[in-house]
Amino acid sequence: MANSTFDLLGQVQAAHQFDHDSLFHYASAHVPGFPSSAASTFTVKQFGHGQSNPTFLLEVGNGGSVKRYVLRKKPPGKLLQSAHAVDREYQVLRALGERTEIPVPKVFCLCRDASVIGTDFYIMEFLEGRIFIDPKLPGLAPERRDAIYRETARVLAALHSVDVDAIGLGKYGRRNNYCKRQVERWTKQYIASTGDSRYPGNPKMLELAHWLQQHIPSEDSSGEGIVHGDFRIDNVVFHPIEDRVIGILDWELSTLGNQMTDVAYSCLAYIVDINHENQQVGKGFELTRIPEGIPSQAEYLAEYCSASGKPWPAAVWKFYISLAMFRGAAIYAGIYSRWLMGNASGGERARNTGKQANDLVDSAWAYIARKAVLPNHPPDPIARDYKKQFDGGNESGRFVPSEKVLKLRNRLVKFMEDHIYPMENEFYKLAQSSSRWTVHPEEESLKELAKKEGLWNLWIPFDSAERAKKLLFDESNRMDTNGEHDQFLGAGLSNLEYGYLCEIMGRSVWAPQVFNCGAPDTGNMEVLLRYGNKEQQLQWLVPLLQGKIRSGFAMTEPQVASSDATNIECSIKREGDSYVINGRKWWTSGAMDPRCKVLIVMGKTDFTAANHKQQSMILVDIQTPGVHIKRPLTVFGFDDAPHGHAEVVFDNVRVPAKNILLGEGRGFEIAQGRLGPGRLHHCMRLIGASERGMQMMVQRALSRRAFGKLIAEQGSFRSDIAKCRIELEKTRLLVLEAADQLDRLGNKKARGTIAMAKVAAPSMALMVLDTAMQVHGAAGVSSDTVLAHLWATARTLRIADGPDEVHLGTIAKLELQRAKL
């Protein structure tokens, strides 16, 4: 539970006693409204929380009423140079209180006359509220914990957004090279604190100082704004009953400089536990267990970055957290030094701070040694928006996902952040090497992990799964082939439900295959699920569902306009118990993959039948004699290794007659059934690709300057990004509507909306990704970012997913039918 500000009071420590009468007379003369009657009662108590400048509650009773004030002073005795500058605290509190909306206590007076109580001091208002000493927030409901942390992040963002020049704090400190100066300052403070023979210095601390000096981020050379210097949840006062901040306390270390140091310091509870019961520095709750309701460190940072407009700090986060622990160690060393001298404001609680300083040093080195500390990209904000809607009682809304889908989505987002994004560069390196037609071993490892996480075959519609169960499972509810349990038929999702998940996978060109949700396998498995017989499913569908093999789809031909599938010339001729296939195909996606074992080939079994009864689909083992993989084809220069798009020649390829799917002349029927769910997945993935483009665009705009200001401050950029967001949200709703109609009405009745989605999604994605590339400049069109590859994929889908003209024709035809023209 929270502590009331009254709960933190105790008797004044012996080392901090001062002349109360002298203080009363001074306050009467300098604090507006302070009682001046000699008959007034005047008591002084000391706040026990905190280890820096001693802080006291002043209570003045007069005529039955009591007024309360807070006094903050320097500690007594010899102090380190520049430490405990209460005059600076007063200056910043006065500027913020009088000229901004930042919640700070009102200050009344500053006294620099040491004759009054022995040291400099200032008096401010008393804030009656709640202070959370334990960052785990015990005793609070999960939703209250979430609100507390997010309010803390937003208040810090608001503080960092203050225009210091406008409020008279433009010279409050040097703005540039803040971290460099911090390392130097705390190194000196540490050396000064450990000079006593009773407290020898720790060599690891000085090694840490050297590491920090070598890793100062380049952004430190540019100036920022106000830095609190000690911002953490226990230095924030919350309203007595509402989850909003009413005061930020303890400004002793405030200055101007690199504001990300504040953010890192506020995140230390995720990394280390400095309130451990045995007064040692333990592991923070990110490394043990995050209490229910408290956002993850990445979510907390995303809240801050969103509110402040700051770029995502993944690349430099090790430095900032390590600097925070380094500074914390120096502060604890100073406290311990004061305890040895007998003037530490924390009294006997300061006895163990010397050991805590060393524990922090060890924790910093352990943190530096970690492989990764933050995801490369901020968490998905849309998932949280959905959760808010659901938790808010709006679960009956048309496009609000169920709790089941939200849990899957959150697991999927975490998997992407933890495993997919960090591996993208490695996948690209292999795909551009001389070994590019081989599979990265980590990909297979990730597939096994996805299975364990329950993120496997999520695309399978529940109706298709039911049909497969009836064919594949006997009474023991086991697969006939090898006794494996039914664990590969998805999560029983509708097309609409899968849309929320497919979007996340679309953010990386590598992700879908890791979850066995990539094209053309999903479409081919869908064909087998819906139209394959038991023998075909056992031979080909089961290993595809298990991820043991991959597949290709061969329909498009180089010599005809394949957008009109009646033009296809590949022949599938019956000869006894076999079919003989002859023809040339290209853009056979997946055929180059070394794991590809089966092709679904569309050709003509009867050239004399009605136009839409000539075509058939047949299963072809890729190792069958006469199947010749001629070459990989490129898409805007990308050959998509090791997956690839192949030109394939079928030269008297003889396959068993049992490999025909559904029967002769039913190719169009199968294609139309496949074109619903499977092809709508492309639109879903394009929403995710566009979201990633938006994310990268914003991060770039917040970190790059052009013509004297950030790109994010340029009017043209703001207009462009607003238009991109509008188009993206419109298209997302259209895609979700198409998926919903597919579930409720079926493929035939939903075909108009599906066609609209297929036109709108690539066009929108191209607009968003093109804008993102423009913001990135030359980097945007290079292979240094994923943007060019995402753009090439989106542009290709305007053809590969059916030409725009075909979909527009479908839409127009339905419109005319409705008008009865």
Side-chain angles (χ1 to χ4, degrees), residues 493-511:
L493 303 176
S494 67
N495 288 290
L496 175 61
E497 289 174 322
Y498 177 60
Y500 300 110
L501 309 176
C502 188
E503 173 186 331
I504 302 303
M505 299 179 201
R507 297 187 175 196
S508 170
V509 294
W510 303 99

Side-chain angles (χ1 to χ4, degrees), residues 11 27 84 117 168 211 229 391 423 496 547 553 562 573 809:
Q11 295 302 311
H84 309 282
I117 62 171
W211 184 91
D391 291 344
M423 278 300 299
L496 175 61
F553 185 72
S562 303
K573 184 179 179 181

Side-chain angles (χ1 to χ4, degrees), residues 134 149 186 220 228 257 348 388 391 455 499 501 521 578 778:
D134 188 341
Y149 265 78
W186 292 110
D220 194 56
H228 178 273
E348 282 302 301
K388 277 184 177 179
D391 291 344
L455 300 174
L501 309 176
D521 294 323
S578 301

Side-chain angles (χ1 to χ4, degrees), residues 291-365:
E292 184 181 2
I294 291 180
S296 68
Q297 181 183 206
E299 290 172 329
Y300 175 81
L301 282 172
E303 189 79 45
Y304 168 83
C305 291
S306 175
S308 65
K310 291 289 199 315
W312 187 242
V316 290
W317 196 238
K318 273 189 182 181
F319 171 84
Y320 286 117
I321 288 291
S322 300
L323 175 61
M325 287 192 272
F326 172 78
R327 192 186 68 170
I331 291 172
Y332 274 124
I335 295 169
Y336 186 65
S337 175
R338 293 201 301 277
W339 180 81
L340 290 173
M341 292 186 290
N343 63 352
S345 62
E348 282 302 301
R349 288 193 301 114
R351 177 188 293 272
N352 293 299
T353 51
K355 185 178 186 308
Q356 287 176 305
N358 289 334
D359 290 342
L360 272 177
V361 174
D362 291 339
S363 298
W365 280 115

Side-chain angles (χ1 to χ4, degrees), residues 451-500:
K451 292 176 187 177
K452 292 178 182 178
E453 292 284 332
L455 300 174
W456 189 255
N457 287 337
L458 296 173
W459 63 273
I460 300 178
F462 53 77
D463 54 342
S464 297
E466 287 303 312
R467 179 179 185 271
K469 286 178 185 178
K470 292 177 182 178
L471 289 177
L472 293 173
F473 288 67
D474 60 18
E475 293 181 357
S476 67
N477 199 38
R478 293 177 181 270
M479 286 186 177
D480 292 351
T481 50
N482 53 17
E484 288 184 357
H485 286 286
D486 172 22
Q487 57 179 317
F488 296 115
L489 289 174
L493 303 176
S494 67
N495 288 290
L496 175 61
E497 289 174 322
Y498 177 60
Y500 300 110

Side-chain angles (χ1 to χ4, degrees), residues 13-49:
Q13 298 172 25
H16 298 149
Q17 293 285 351
F18 52 80
D19 188 334
H20 292 187
D21 290 337
S22 176
L23 173 63
F24 181 86
H25 291 302
Y26 180 89
S28 297
H30 294 87
V31 178
F34 195 96
S36 58
S37 170
S40 299
T41 60
F42 182 52
T43 61
V44 179
K45 296 180 181 179
Q46 186 169 1
F47 287 98
H49 179 60

